[in-house]
Amino acid sequence: MAKQADMATRSVRGSRTGRPIMALLDLLGRRWSLRILWELRGEPLTSRALRSACDEASPTVLQARLTELREAGFVELGDGGGYGLTPLGRELCETFMPLHRFAERWRR
């Protein structure tokens, strides 16, 4: 919980207020963040499997995003070595589902 409190008080790019919504949008707007969360929505993945699912994203960038998402409380490293969503991460991904359904309709 302390990490989430730190996130709330951290300065945010493009915002002088540091409002929680701005911090969240900043994190989710970083390259690969949303894709990582999306790929983990089903089951935990190893670093290698996640990289493959993310179109061979740079390992350096992928690890940086995983670290940020772990610090934010959305992703955790499981006992088996794979990355998975925390309950908070699953809740966040559920908020994407209406947008996903909209995107599917829009694509048609």
Side-chain angles (χ1 to χ4, degrees):
M1 204 53 129
K3 297 232 186 237
Q4 289 176 339
D6 290 345
M7 192 72 159
T9 59
R10 190 176 302 163
S11 64
V12 180
R13 292 183 301 196
S15 171
R16 286 180 267 142
T17 65
R19 292 190 175 122
I21 187 68
M22 298 309 298
L24 178 62
L25 291 174
D26 176 59
L27 175 62
L28 297 179
R30 293 177 190 167
R31 188 168 186 181
W32 298 109
S33 290
L34 284 171
R35 180 68 181 270
I36 290 168
L37 292 169
W38 187 253
E39 296 300 341
L40 293 176
R41 76 192 185 286
E43 62 185 12
L45 297 173
T46 63
S47 291
R48 186 172 302 207
L50 185 57
R51 183 169 179 240
S52 179
C54 291
D55 301 324
E56 301 298 327
S58 157
T60 304
V61 174
L62 197 63
Q63 286 304 314
R65 292 305 167 264
L66 282 166
T67 298
E68 292 167 353
L69 292 168
R70 287 177 67 192
E71 288 175 354
F74 297 128
V75 172
E76 62 189 354
L77 183 58
D79 295 334
Y83 290 94
L85 296 177
T86 63
L88 188 63
R90 283 191 293 281
E91 183 181 348
L92 177 61
C93 282
E94 283 299 313
T95 67
F96 300 154
M97 294 315 290
L99 187 59
H100 171 66
R101 288 188 294 273
F102 176 85
E104 289 296 320
R105 287 192 312 273
W106 173 74
R107 183 180 67 172
R108 291 185 211 120

